[in-house]
Amino acid sequence: MRAWAELLRVSALFTVPGDALAGAAALGARPNRSTALAVGASLCLYEAGMALNDWADREEDAIDRPHRPIPSGRISPPAALAAAGALTAAGLALAARAGRTSLAVGTALAATVWAYDLRLKHTAAGPAAMGAARALDVLLGATATATATATATGNVLRDRATSASAGTGAAGPAAVVTRGSGNTSSASAGGGGAAARTSPRTPSPGTVTGAGAVRVTGPWDGLRTALPSATLLGAHTVAVTTVSRREAQGGSTAAPLAALVATGVLGTLAGRPTDGAVAPGGLRAAPRRGTGALRSAVPALATAGPALAGALALVYTGTAGRPLLHAALNPSPPLTQRAVGGGIRAMIPLQAALAARGGAAGIALGVMGLVPLARTFARKVSPT
């Protein structure tokens, strides 16, 4: 069992759930069942990549890391490859349960993982491929969440429209949007004449007006909305991967120094509030540009988002920056490996900062709750 824990690097697993949660937070939507499916898919695909990585590097590890599970003989190469295939299939099955768009993103993520491990790892495109995989992981969570939220909102709107047309809706105006007109018409419960004048149509998901409205335009719009958060996590991954290419031999000062600069820039960006962070009264506001976002009313805790994002960005910068500085000053293999480990652990506060800057302070604190678990498991199984 320990051999499989080392092969799959289970201590690094705690850096994965925050991707999907950060994607959901970027939309202003609460995590839902599809978000959980995206987290499960991410975990499976991440572990598939770990198993495939060791299978592909078995000859190299026999020289540089003979203690790894495959070169030491504790796990056979066919078993590792079979595990990678099974985990990939499981990840894609979970992504499919979250919707067609999520399956498309999950397929792209799986293809990127396999391409990296089998072809791109030792090329100049390697770090970019890893960064793309991490960014796609965030977008997987965003599209899954957006699909479920759009579907739920469409169901509510259809029920509202049906109630309004029948004159049996709840008291008070119920606003609906006619398809393609951009105009709204309202009907009051018990007001037969008003109901007769509205003739509401069943709106498409994403057309909601009135107090406490949620604007949902579908999974592709959710993908665009989450792209900034995905880009920041992808850029961090590129920096860490670049450093990891020399972790067994050491000797590179430029890579950890460049990663240190990148960490400072990313920390600054992650701590900045977004356009639609928090509106007066503690409500999520839609972005000033574009039509795509999921916006829902959130508790007053959301007002703490910007301050919490700044604090978590500092935690991220310290977690990744300190070991990178040591590796830049002394690029020995042990310090370079510590820098890579620090960069992996720094994923969690970065994910939390991105969730907080989107107004999801509760999600951010939940993600940070994974830090003690990651540290505990890292003492037993190395994340690198």
Side-chain angles (χ1 to χ4, degrees), residues 243-244 246-248 250-252 256 327 330-341:
V243 176
S244 71
R246 299 285 301 179
E247 65 177 330
S252 173
N330 179 13
S332 63
L335 290 181
T336 303
Q337 291 169 11
R338 289 181 187 176
V340 174

Side-chain angles (χ1 to χ4, degrees), residues 65-149:
R65 294 180 171 186
H67 61 280
R68 294 294 300 161
I70 294 179
S72 65
R74 289 176 291 159
I75 295 178
S76 68
L81 184 60
L87 287 165
T88 299
L92 292 178
L94 290 171
R97 293 284 301 277
R100 294 180 180 177
T101 310
S102 298
L103 176 59
V105 176
T107 301
L109 172 56
T112 303
V113 169
W114 280 72
Y116 172 80
D117 284 335
L118 298 181
R119 295 290 182 185
L120 302 177
K121 182 176 182 179
H122 299 293
T123 71
M130 280 293 287
R134 181 66 69 164
L136 285 168
D137 205 26
V138 177
L139 298 180
L140 176 59
T143 54
T145 304
T147 298
T149 306

Side-chain angles (χ1 to χ4, degrees), residues 131-376:
R134 181 66 69 164
L136 285 168
D137 205 26
V138 177
L139 298 180
L140 176 59
T143 54
T145 304
T147 298
T149 306
T151 300
T153 303
N155 292 337
V156 170
L157 288 171
R158 280 189 290 272
D159 292 344
R160 183 182 297 177
T162 301
S163 298
S165 62
T168 58
V176 294
V177 181
T178 57
R179 209 181 286 240
S181 68
N183 298 320
T184 61
S185 55
S186 61
S188 300
R197 290 193 299 271
T198 57
S199 301
R201 302 179 187 179
T202 301
S204 60
T207 51
V208 190
T209 62
V214 181
R215 188 170 185 85
V216 183
T217 54
W220 291 111
D221 185 76
L223 187 150
R224 291 192 298 271
T225 304
L227 191 57
S229 293
T231 301
L232 291 182
L233 276 164
H236 172 75
T237 304
V238 170
V240 175
T241 305
T242 302
V243 176
S244 71
R245 293 162 79 93
R246 299 285 301 179
E247 65 177 330
Q249 299 84 15
S252 173
T253 298
L257 186 60
L260 180 61
V261 173
T263 297
V265 173
L266 294 174
T268 300
L269 294 175
R272 290 181 179 177
T274 58
D275 282 347
V278 181
L283 299 179
R284 293 295 301 275
R288 289 190 291 270
R289 290 177 293 177
T291 60
L294 296 166
R295 296 300 175 212
S296 57
V298 294
L301 179 62
T303 59
L308 182 60
L312 291 172
L314 289 176
V315 175
Y316 155 72
T317 303
T319 302
R322 188 177 299 107
L324 284 171
L325 178 60
H326 294 163
L329 295 175
N330 179 13
S332 63
L335 290 181
T336 303
Q337 291 169 11
R338 289 181 187 176
V340 174
I344 294 173
R345 290 190 298 274
M347 287 285 184
I348 297 177
L350 179 57
Q351 293 160 344
L354 293 174
R357 79 167 187 163
I363 294 176
L365 294 176
V367 171
M368 284 300 293
L370 297 173
V371 171
L373 293 173
R375 287 178 176 173
T376 299

Side-chain angles (χ1 to χ4, degrees), residues 46-60:
Y46 186 87
E47 291 291 52
M50 291 298 183
L52 185 64
N53 176 78
D54 274 27
W55 178 84
D57 286 352
R58 60 193 184 280
E59 294 181 0
E60 179 181 332

